Amino acid sequence: MNRKILATVMGFAAVMMAVPAAAQTTKPMGLSIRAGLVFPTSGYGRSIGKNWFGVGGEFKIQDANFGTMDRSSTGMITISADYYGKGEASAVPVLVNYVGTSKEIYYSLGAGLAITRDRNAGNSRNKTNFAYSFALGYNFQSGTNPLFVEGRFFGNSNSNLNGIGVYVGVRL
């Protein structure tokens, strides 16, 4: 586990060093990268480990304000891919999301498919399941780097793989 944490921290540091160069472009790329811990909500998941490693990325597809006249609130459609897991269980949800923002606070609702691995009771099961996600986050500025913290619930039709994630990330 220590190697995974060290690799995550080093990868995140490399991304953070690249952000000033990306920030000099005239238009943001619409990419968000996040890493953190996921806490499984099922007894099976907790028997594997009380916290799992999680990493993900999200890409903006288009604006979607749905006719709101409030300029402080905006919305967009994104596509995201995440990985979370530990040992004999993991999920890779690929979701289409609606992200709404109001000043620094944002929320996200998404649905799609997850490629899952679950070796419950010695039986290896690799499947594609329905997946969904809800998130609430806070954007803040650290120098020129647009950073965020986020809480995210991952739901899966295989409830062994449901979890609550706590992430830190950067927007490029």
Side-chain angles (χ1 to χ4, degrees), residues 30-34 56-60 148 170-172:
L31 178 65
S32 300
I33 300 171
R34 59 182 166 257
E58 192 163 4
F59 185 73
K60 177 182 172 181
F148 63 92
V170 63
R171 301 204 192 280
L172 305 174

Side-chain angles (χ1 to χ4, degrees), residues 5-169:
I5 292 172
L6 180 61
T8 301
V9 169
M10 292 188 65
F12 193 69
V15 168
M16 295 301 292
M17 290 173 26
V19 168
Q24 293 175 6
T25 61
T26 58
K27 185 176 180 184
M29 294 186 329
L31 178 65
S32 300
I33 300 171
R34 59 182 166 257
L37 294 175
V38 175
F39 303 95
T41 59
S42 71
Y44 167 74
R46 286 190 300 274
S47 72
I48 294 172
K50 292 186 181 183
N51 55 48
W52 298 3
F53 171 72
V55 65
E58 192 163 4
F59 185 73
K60 177 182 172 181
I61 297 173
Q62 70 180 34
D63 289 326
N65 292 328
F66 299 116
T68 61
M69 299 305 282
D70 182 7
R71 301 243 179 218
S72 66
S73 298
T74 61
M76 65 182 142
I77 303 296
T78 66
I79 187 164
S80 64
D82 285 90
Y83 163 85
Y84 62 96
K86 185 170 192 169
E88 55 197 48
S90 65
V92 180
V94 178
L95 309 173
V96 175
N97 309 283
Y98 174 77
V99 180
T101 62
S102 180
K103 298 183 183 176
E104 292 87 16
I105 296 174
Y106 68 92
Y107 64 92
S108 174
L109 307 167
L113 297 175
I115 301 165
T116 63
R117 180 181 63 161
D118 175 8
R119 293 192 177 139
N120 195 3
N123 297 324
S124 177
R125 297 188 316 170
N126 295 312
K127 288 187 165 185
T128 302
N129 296 330
F130 172 73
Y132 56 96
S133 176
F134 306 100
L136 184 62
Y138 182 79
N139 293 312
F140 59 94
Q141 200 74 17
S142 174
T144 59
N145 301 332
L147 302 174
F148 63 92
V149 292
E150 168 179 287
R152 181 174 290 270
F153 174 78
F154 289 106
N156 195 300
S157 59
N158 176 357
S159 62
N160 287 338
L161 300 173
N162 290 352
I164 298 171
V166 178
Y167 289 95
V168 64

